[in-house]
Amino acid sequence: MAVGEAPLSVILETQRLLLRPFCASDLDAYARICADPEVMRYIGAGVPRSRADAWRDMAIFLGHWTLRGYGMWAAVDRQSLALVGRIGLHNPEGWPSLEVGWLLDRSRWGEGLATEGGLAAMNYAFDQLDQPHISSLIRPDNSASIRVAEKLGMTRERLITLNGGDVLVYGRNR
């Protein structure tokens, strides 16, 4: 499938997660997750986001799908159907490379969901989008995300400055 051709209806399933497009009914849960200072500590400016910011994020994710043909999925617990975060692919204009990323509700940290969903998203990039390389951009002090990237087979490639801060680029080839 060529980039830009994937429909917004792409859904991935893992053992415990359903990765699906965001919808308006996700706002309450997503806004709650983004309002947690610990969850947002390593994301963007490193500060909690307002409900309006969470709404804009969801719109950006959906727009990314339209413009790039891939993007972030709402990560939903298959058993409870509760939104637990976002996992997917990110490559806005000016970004250093195609990235697989994750953000999870703090109550779900340590369960391996980032690795499980990240693997599904990475495999989608390799198998469906025919991408030769994928990366994760991680703040140097975010040891939990570094461990996830390493579990996904990524190694540290370089240190860059992005949006005014240092970011480690972890990556791997197909």
Side-chain angles (χ1 to χ4, degrees):
M1 178 180 307
V3 172
E5 293 180 4
L8 275 172
S9 61
V10 171
I11 296 172
L12 302 181
E13 291 187 41
T14 71
Q15 181 180 350
R16 297 175 292 167
L17 294 172
L18 179 67
L19 302 178
R20 59 149 174 84
F22 273 89
C23 57
S25 62
D26 292 326
L27 180 58
D28 287 343
Y30 189 67
R32 180 187 49 74
I33 293 167
C34 291
D36 185 327
E38 278 301 302
V39 170
M40 299 309 292
R41 187 165 122 190
Y42 301 114
I43 305 297
V47 297
R49 299 180 68 75
S50 70
R51 183 179 176 84
D53 290 335
W55 174 265
R56 279 188 288 280
D57 286 350
M58 289 173 28
I60 288 168
F61 301 150
L62 293 171
H64 194 288
W65 273 97
T66 299
L67 295 172
R68 294 278 195 216
Y70 55 82
M72 283 286 165
W73 285 277
V76 175
D77 180 290
R78 285 182 61 182
Q79 188 172 25
S80 68
L81 299 181
L83 181 83
V84 297
R86 63 173 159 93
I87 297 174
L89 305 172
H90 190 64
N91 193 14
E93 182 62 27
W95 216 240
S97 60
L98 175 62
E99 176 184 18
V100 59
W102 45 85
L103 179 141
L104 293 172
D105 188 325
R106 186 167 22 147
S107 70
R108 303 305 298 266
W109 289 1
E111 296 180 24
L113 295 177
T115 303
E116 184 176 318
L119 180 62
M122 183 176 67
N123 287 338
Y124 181 82
F126 288 152
D127 300 339
Q128 301 301 313
L129 302 176
D130 199 29
Q131 295 294 306
H133 185 83
I134 196 153
S135 66
S136 286
L137 308 177
I138 304 169
R139 297 251 183 104
D141 52 347
N142 187 347
S143 57
S145 280
I146 289 170
R147 282 191 303 276
V148 171
E150 290 171 344
K151 288 178 185 177
L152 294 175
M154 295 183 191
T155 58
R156 181 177 166 170
E157 295 178 340
R158 64 191 184 281
L159 176 70
I160 64 170
T161 300
L162 182 67
N163 297 330
D166 287 341
V167 176
L168 293 170
V169 178
Y170 274 73
R172 67 167 278 186
N173 293 326
R174 185 182 323 188

mmCIF file of all heavy atoms in Angstrom, residues 128-161:
data_model
loop_
_atom_site.group_PDB
_atom_site.id
_atom_site.type_symbol
_atom_site.label_atom_id
_atom_site.label_comp_id
_atom_site.label_asym_id
_atom_site.label_seq_id
_atom_site.Cartn_x
_atom_site.Cartn_y
_atom_site.Cartn_z
ATOM 1 N N GLN A 128 2.978 -3.065 5.656
ATOM 2 C CA GLN A 128 1.912 -2.462 4.859
ATOM 3 C C GLN A 128 2.348 -1.183 4.149
ATOM 4 O O GLN A 128 1.858 -0.883 3.064
ATOM 5 C CB GLN A 128 0.687 -2.165 5.731
ATOM 6 C CG GLN A 128 0.108 -3.386 6.407
ATOM 7 C CD GLN A 128 -0.315 -4.461 5.410
ATOM 8 O OE1 GLN A 128 -0.973 -4.164 4.429
ATOM 9 N NE2 GLN A 128 0.088 -5.695 5.670
ATOM 10 N N LEU A 129 3.249 -0.434 4.769
ATOM 11 C CA LEU A 129 3.691 0.829 4.179
ATOM 12 C C LEU A 129 5.041 0.707 3.489
ATOM 13 O O LEU A 129 5.529 1.669 2.900
ATOM 14 C CB LEU A 129 3.762 1.925 5.252
ATOM 15 C CG LEU A 129 2.459 2.216 5.997
ATOM 16 C CD1 LEU A 129 2.701 3.248 7.100
ATOM 17 C CD2 LEU A 129 1.375 2.673 5.039
ATOM 18 N N ASP A 130 5.650 -0.474 3.593
ATOM 19 C CA ASP A 130 6.933 -0.762 2.950
ATOM 20 C C ASP A 130 8.028 0.230 3.349
ATOM 21 O O ASP A 130 8.834 0.645 2.525
ATOM 22 C CB ASP A 130 6.765 -0.799 1.424
ATOM 23 C CG ASP A 130 7.899 -1.535 0.736
ATOM 24 O OD1 ASP A 130 8.484 -2.444 1.358
ATOM 25 O OD2 ASP A 130 8.216 -1.177 -0.413
ATOM 26 N N GLN A 131 8.036 0.607 4.609
ATOM 27 C CA GLN A 131 9.048 1.535 5.122
ATOM 28 C C GLN A 131 10.322 0.759 5.452
ATOM 29 O O GLN A 131 10.264 -0.290 6.079
ATOM 30 C CB GLN A 131 8.537 2.251 6.369
ATOM 31 C CG GLN A 131 7.354 3.153 6.106
ATOM 32 C CD GLN A 131 7.723 4.317 5.210
ATOM 33 O OE1 GLN A 131 8.661 5.050 5.485
ATOM 34 N NE2 GLN A 131 6.983 4.485 4.137
ATOM 35 N N PRO A 132 11.482 1.264 5.060
ATOM 36 C CA PRO A 132 12.731 0.552 5.333
ATOM 37 C C PRO A 132 13.289 0.789 6.731
ATOM 38 O O PRO A 132 14.107 0.009 7.213
ATOM 39 C CB PRO A 132 13.689 1.122 4.283
ATOM 40 C CG PRO A 132 13.180 2.515 4.045
ATOM 41 C CD PRO A 132 11.672 2.420 4.185
ATOM 42 N N HIS A 133 12.859 1.874 7.399
ATOM 43 C CA HIS A 133 13.441 2.255 8.688
ATOM 44 C C HIS A 133 12.369 2.915 9.547
ATOM 45 O O HIS A 133 11.493 3.607 9.030
ATOM 46 C CB HIS A 133 14.590 3.246 8.458
ATOM 47 C CG HIS A 133 15.332 3.609 9.703
ATOM 48 N ND1 HIS A 133 16.337 2.821 10.216
ATOM 49 C CD2 HIS A 133 15.233 4.667 10.536
ATOM 50 C CE1 HIS A 133 16.820 3.384 11.311
ATOM 51 N NE2 HIS A 133 16.158 4.506 11.526
ATOM 52 N N ILE A 134 12.464 2.704 10.845
ATOM 53 C CA ILE A 134 11.540 3.357 11.776
ATOM 54 C C ILE A 134 12.330 3.807 12.990
ATOM 55 O O ILE A 134 13.370 3.216 13.315
ATOM 56 C CB ILE A 134 10.366 2.433 12.159
ATOM 57 C CG1 ILE A 134 9.240 3.242 12.785
ATOM 58 C CG2 ILE A 134 10.815 1.297 13.038
ATOM 59 C CD1 ILE A 134 7.881 2.640 12.606
ATOM 60 N N SER A 135 11.845 4.858 13.623
ATOM 61 C CA SER A 135 12.556 5.394 14.776
ATOM 62 C C SER A 135 11.581 5.700 15.907
ATOM 63 O O SER A 135 10.371 5.680 15.726
ATOM 64 C CB SER A 135 13.311 6.673 14.391
ATOM 65 O OG SER A 135 12.393 7.693 14.055
ATOM 66 N N SER A 136 12.148 5.992 17.063
ATOM 67 C CA SER A 136 11.415 6.546 18.198
ATOM 68 C C SER A 136 12.249 7.692 18.736
ATOM 69 O O SER A 136 13.467 7.556 18.902
ATOM 70 C CB SER A 136 11.187 5.504 19.288
ATOM 71 O OG SER A 136 10.194 4.591 18.903
ATOM 72 N N LEU A 137 11.606 8.816 18.990
ATOM 73 C CA LEU A 137 12.275 10.000 19.509
ATOM 74 C C LEU A 137 11.961 10.085 20.994
ATOM 75 O O LEU A 137 10.798 10.180 21.378
ATOM 76 C CB LEU A 137 11.795 11.248 18.782
ATOM 77 C CG LEU A 137 11.881 11.169 17.245
ATOM 78 C CD1 LEU A 137 11.322 12.414 16.613
ATOM 79 C CD2 LEU A 137 13.301 10.918 16.798
ATOM 80 N N ILE A 138 13.008 10.025 21.821
ATOM 81 C CA ILE A 138 12.827 9.840 23.256
ATOM 82 C C ILE A 138 13.709 10.819 24.020
ATOM 83 O O ILE A 138 14.904 10.948 23.729
ATOM 84 C CB ILE A 138 13.184 8.389 23.657
ATOM 85 C CG1 ILE A 138 12.361 7.385 22.837
ATOM 86 C CG2 ILE A 138 12.995 8.175 25.149
ATOM 87 C CD1 ILE A 138 12.811 5.948 22.973
ATOM 88 N N ARG A 139 13.130 11.457 25.011
ATOM 89 C CA ARG A 139 13.930 12.323 25.880
ATOM 90 C C ARG A 139 14.962 11.465 26.615
ATOM 91 O O ARG A 139 14.655 10.345 27.044
ATOM 92 C CB ARG A 139 13.039 13.035 26.890
ATOM 93 C CG ARG A 139 12.030 13.964 26.261
ATOM 94 C CD ARG A 139 12.384 15.421 26.529
ATOM 95 N NE ARG A 139 11.363 16.297 25.985
ATOM 96 C CZ ARG A 139 10.448 16.906 26.717
ATOM 97 N NH1 ARG A 139 10.401 16.742 28.021
ATOM 98 N NH2 ARG A 139 9.571 17.702 26.143
ATOM 99 N N PRO A 140 16.185 11.982 26.778
ATOM 100 C CA PRO A 140 17.264 11.169 27.365
ATOM 101 C C PRO A 140 16.966 10.605 28.747
ATOM 102 O O PRO A 140 17.462 9.523 29.085
ATOM 103 C CB PRO A 140 18.447 12.149 27.427
ATOM 104 C CG PRO A 140 18.173 13.120 26.324
ATOM 105 C CD PRO A 140 16.670 13.275 26.288
ATOM 106 N N ASP A 141 16.144 11.279 29.551
ATOM 107 C CA ASP A 141 15.865 10.779 30.895
ATOM 108 C C ASP A 141 14.615 9.902 30.973
ATOM 109 O O ASP A 141 14.213 9.490 32.058
ATOM 110 C CB ASP A 141 15.778 11.932 31.898
ATOM 111 C CG ASP A 141 14.826 13.038 31.471
ATOM 112 O OD1 ASP A 141 14.411 13.056 30.302
ATOM 113 O OD2 ASP A 141 14.505 13.898 32.313
ATOM 114 N N ASN A 142 14.036 9.554 29.826
ATOM 115 C CA ASN A 142 12.844 8.705 29.804
ATOM 116 C C ASN A 142 13.268 7.236 29.668
ATOM 117 O O ASN A 142 13.169 6.628 28.606
ATOM 118 C CB ASN A 142 11.919 9.123 28.657
ATOM 119 C CG ASN A 142 10.588 8.413 28.679
ATOM 120 O OD1 ASN A 142 10.407 7.432 29.386
ATOM 121 N ND2 ASN A 142 9.656 8.899 27.889
ATOM 122 N N SER A 143 13.739 6.678 30.771
ATOM 123 C CA SER A 143 14.285 5.318 30.740
ATOM 124 C C SER A 143 13.234 4.272 30.371
ATOM 125 O O SER A 143 13.558 3.263 29.732
ATOM 126 C CB SER A 143 14.941 4.978 32.075
ATOM 127 O OG SER A 143 14.019 5.115 33.130
ATOM 128 N N ALA A 144 11.976 4.484 30.743
ATOM 129 C CA ALA A 144 10.935 3.506 30.413
ATOM 130 C C ALA A 144 10.736 3.413 28.899
ATOM 131 O O ALA A 144 10.649 2.305 28.342
ATOM 132 C CB ALA A 144 9.625 3.869 31.108
ATOM 133 N N SER A 145 10.698 4.544 28.207
ATOM 134 C CA SER A 145 10.528 4.507 26.755
ATOM 135 C C SER A 145 11.778 3.997 26.054
ATOM 136 O O SER A 145 11.686 3.352 25.011
ATOM 137 C CB SER A 145 10.128 5.883 26.219
ATOM 138 O OG SER A 145 8.749 6.091 26.425
ATOM 139 N N ILE A 146 12.939 4.263 26.611
ATOM 140 C CA ILE A 146 14.167 3.695 26.045
ATOM 141 C C ILE A 146 14.096 2.170 26.105
ATOM 142 O O ILE A 146 14.433 1.482 25.134
ATOM 143 C CB ILE A 146 15.409 4.248 26.770
ATOM 144 C CG1 ILE A 146 15.604 5.728 26.403
ATOM 145 C CG2 ILE A 146 16.651 3.420 26.451
ATOM 146 C CD1 ILE A 146 16.656 6.453 27.227
ATOM 147 N N ARG A 147 13.616 1.625 27.231
ATOM 148 C CA ARG A 147 13.479 0.160 27.354
ATOM 149 C C ARG A 147 12.492 -0.383 26.320
ATOM 150 O O ARG A 147 12.726 -1.442 25.731
ATOM 151 C CB ARG A 147 13.043 -0.234 28.763
ATOM 152 C CG ARG A 147 14.167 -0.196 29.777
ATOM 153 C CD ARG A 147 13.793 -0.849 31.093
ATOM 154 N NE ARG A 147 12.620 -0.280 31.732
ATOM 155 C CZ ARG A 147 12.619 0.795 32.516
ATOM 156 N NH1 ARG A 147 13.751 1.427 32.752
ATOM 157 N NH2 ARG A 147 11.502 1.228 33.060
ATOM 158 N N VAL A 148 11.378 0.331 26.088
ATOM 159 C CA VAL A 148 10.408 -0.112 25.078
ATOM 160 C C VAL A 148 11.075 -0.128 23.704
ATOM 161 O O VAL A 148 10.958 -1.109 22.962
ATOM 162 C CB VAL A 148 9.151 0.776 25.078
ATOM 163 C CG1 VAL A 148 8.253 0.443 23.887
ATOM 164 C CG2 VAL A 148 8.378 0.628 26.382
ATOM 165 N N ALA A 149 11.766 0.950 23.351
ATOM 166 C CA ALA A 149 12.442 1.008 22.047
ATOM 167 C C ALA A 149 13.423 -0.152 21.892
ATOM 168 O O ALA A 149 13.484 -0.790 20.825
ATOM 169 C CB ALA A 149 13.150 2.348 21.883
ATOM 170 N N GLU A 150 14.174 -0.446 22.935
ATOM 171 C CA GLU A 150 15.126 -1.556 22.872
ATOM 172 C C GLU A 150 14.407 -2.889 22.719
ATOM 173 O O GLU A 150 14.860 -3.763 21.979
ATOM 174 C CB GLU A 150 16.027 -1.542 24.097
ATOM 175 C CG GLU A 150 17.006 -0.364 24.076
ATOM 176 C CD GLU A 150 17.783 -0.166 25.361
ATOM 177 O OE1 GLU A 150 17.384 -0.734 26.413
ATOM 178 O OE2 GLU A 150 18.795 0.571 25.328
ATOM 179 N N LYS A 151 13.264 -3.064 23.389
ATOM 180 C CA LYS A 151 12.478 -4.290 23.224
ATOM 181 C C LYS A 151 11.956 -4.425 21.804
ATOM 182 O O LYS A 151 11.714 -5.538 21.326
ATOM 183 C CB LYS A 151 11.316 -4.327 24.220
ATOM 184 C CG LYS A 151 11.748 -4.583 25.644
ATOM 185 C CD LYS A 151 10.553 -4.554 26.576
ATOM 186 C CE LYS A 151 10.967 -4.699 28.017
ATOM 187 N NZ LYS A 151 9.828 -4.597 28.939
ATOM 188 N N LEU A 152 11.775 -3.296 21.127
ATOM 189 C CA LEU A 152 11.327 -3.306 19.726
ATOM 190 C C LEU A 152 12.493 -3.509 18.763
ATOM 191 O O LEU A 152 12.306 -3.450 17.548
ATOM 192 C CB LEU A 152 10.585 -2.003 19.394
ATOM 193 C CG LEU A 152 9.267 -1.794 20.138
ATOM 194 C CD1 LEU A 152 8.683 -0.423 19.819
ATOM 195 C CD2 LEU A 152 8.266 -2.893 19.806
ATOM 196 N N GLY A 153 13.679 -3.736 19.302
ATOM 197 C CA GLY A 153 14.852 -4.001 18.467
ATOM 198 C C GLY A 153 15.572 -2.757 18.000
ATOM 199 O O GLY A 153 16.435 -2.829 17.123
ATOM 200 N N MET A 154 15.256 -1.617 18.595
ATOM 201 C CA MET A 154 15.899 -0.367 18.204
ATOM 202 C C MET A 154 17.172 -0.149 19.006
ATOM 203 O O MET A 154 17.290 -0.610 20.142
ATOM 204 C CB MET A 154 14.957 0.813 18.429
ATOM 205 C CG MET A 154 13.730 0.781 17.572
ATOM 206 S SD MET A 154 12.749 2.276 17.858
ATOM 207 C CE MET A 154 11.252 1.839 17.002
ATOM 208 N N THR A 155 18.095 0.571 18.384
ATOM 209 C CA THR A 155 19.320 0.983 19.052
ATOM 210 C C THR A 155 19.470 2.490 18.924
ATOM 211 O O THR A 155 18.898 3.111 18.018
ATOM 212 C CB THR A 155 20.563 0.296 18.447
ATOM 213 O OG1 THR A 155 20.628 0.603 17.052
ATOM 214 C CG2 THR A 155 20.507 -1.218 18.637
ATOM 215 N N ARG A 156 20.245 3.049 19.836
ATOM 216 C CA ARG A 156 20.475 4.493 19.809
ATOM 217 C C ARG A 156 21.266 4.861 18.558
ATOM 218 O O ARG A 156 22.317 4.284 18.290
ATOM 219 C CB ARG A 156 21.227 4.914 21.062
ATOM 220 C CG ARG A 156 21.471 6.394 21.122
ATOM 221 C CD ARG A 156 22.157 6.792 22.394
ATOM 222 N NE ARG A 156 22.659 8.147 22.275
ATOM 223 C CZ ARG A 156 23.137 8.835 23.281
ATOM 224 N NH1 ARG A 156 23.194 8.291 24.487
ATOM 225 N NH2 ARG A 156 23.575 10.052 23.101
ATOM 226 N N GLU A 157 20.735 5.827 17.805
ATOM 227 C CA GLU A 157 21.387 6.265 16.572
ATOM 228 C C GLU A 157 22.090 7.611 16.729
ATOM 229 O O GLU A 157 23.174 7.808 16.198
ATOM 230 C CB GLU A 157 20.367 6.346 15.434
ATOM 231 C CG GLU A 157 19.791 5.005 15.077
ATOM 232 C CD GLU A 157 18.749 5.045 13.980
ATOM 233 O OE1 GLU A 157 18.158 6.119 13.717
ATOM 234 O OE2 GLU A 157 18.524 3.982 13.367
ATOM 235 N N ARG A 158 21.441 8.548 17.439
ATOM 236 C CA ARG A 158 22.049 9.869 17.586
ATOM 237 C C ARG A 158 21.256 10.701 18.592
ATOM 238 O O ARG A 158 20.153 10.331 18.981
ATOM 239 C CB ARG A 158 22.130 10.581 16.240
ATOM 240 C CG ARG A 158 20.782 10.898 15.608
ATOM 241 C CD ARG A 158 20.962 11.354 14.143
ATOM 242 N NE ARG A 158 19.730 11.746 13.525
ATOM 243 C CZ ARG A 158 18.805 10.934 13.023
ATOM 244 N NH1 ARG A 158 18.969 9.640 13.098
ATOM 245 N NH2 ARG A 158 17.724 11.403 12.450
ATOM 246 N N LEU A 159 21.820 11.830 18.961
ATOM 247 C CA LEU A 159 21.172 12.818 19.808
ATOM 248 C C LEU A 159 20.907 14.035 18.937
ATOM 249 O O LEU A 159 21.808 14.498 18.229
ATOM 250 C CB LEU A 159 22.073 13.184 20.996
ATOM 251 C CG LEU A 159 21.561 14.279 21.934
ATOM 252 C CD1 LEU A 159 20.374 13.763 22.743
ATOM 253 C CD2 LEU A 159 22.671 14.741 22.864
ATOM 254 N N ILE A 160 19.669 14.547 18.964
ATOM 255 C CA ILE A 160 19.316 15.723 18.176
ATOM 256 C C ILE A 160 18.635 16.740 19.081
ATOM 257 O O ILE A 160 18.244 16.420 20.204
ATOM 258 C CB ILE A 160 18.393 15.383 16.983
ATOM 259 C CG1 ILE A 160 17.031 14.830 17.477
ATOM 260 C CG2 ILE A 160 19.075 14.407 16.025
ATOM 261 C CD1 ILE A 160 15.984 14.688 16.383
ATOM 262 N N THR A 161 18.495 17.947 18.572
ATOM 263 C CA THR A 161 17.685 18.962 19.235
ATOM 264 C C THR A 161 16.398 19.076 18.444
ATOM 265 O O THR A 161 16.415 19.262 17.223
ATOM 266 C CB THR A 161 18.420 20.315 19.274
ATOM 267 O OG1 THR A 161 19.637 20.146 20.002
ATOM 268 C CG2 THR A 161 17.569 21.367 19.956
#
